[in-house]
Amino acid sequence: MVRGRAPRAARAPGGAAVTGEQPQVGDAFGCAILATLAEDHTASRSRAGDTAATALTEGFRIGFIATAVTMVVGVLVAVLLLREDGRGEKVDIVGAQAAALEGSG
């Protein structure tokens, strides 16, 4: 330890690892859901007697529709729920971190 300085692990914010992993897990989860929807629809179309190419095309179509619906819902949530209060205000991050460290120690 350098004199007068806490170890790096003690200085790092606790949520840094979670913040870095969260988008990757969310992307993987979303991709898995869309792939499952597409594969399930492709399999059902194949069982119904469609050719492999037609069934696969229909499966991808369902995946794209699900993606488009998810994007529209996300945009609507952002537009309707995000508020203007506090935007553009200056935030004292150093002060907030110091207060958090003092409160936890």
Side-chain angles (χ1 to χ4, degrees):
M1 177 170 141
V2 176
R3 187 187 321 196
R5 190 161 181 171
R8 180 168 170 73
R11 291 185 320 231
V18 174
T19 304
E21 294 293 326
Q22 190 175 11
Q24 293 177 1
V25 172
D27 291 347
F29 188 66
C31 188
I33 290 173
L34 291 175
T36 301
L37 285 172
E39 191 279 328
D40 185 55
H41 192 69
T42 299
S44 69
R45 294 297 295 234
S46 288
R47 285 191 300 273
D50 287 350
T51 64
T54 302
L56 190 58
T57 302
E58 288 299 314
F60 282 133
R61 185 179 66 82
I62 289 297
F64 285 127
I65 289 172
T67 302
V69 168
T70 303
M71 288 173 52
V72 167
V73 168
V75 167
L76 288 174
V77 166
V79 167
L80 297 175
L81 297 182
L82 290 180
R83 55 193 173 118
E84 291 289 329
D85 299 344
R87 286 196 184 169
E89 292 180 12
K90 293 193 183 260
V91 177
D92 182 15
I93 293 183
V94 174
Q97 287 178 341
L101 289 175
E102 288 173 7
S104 66

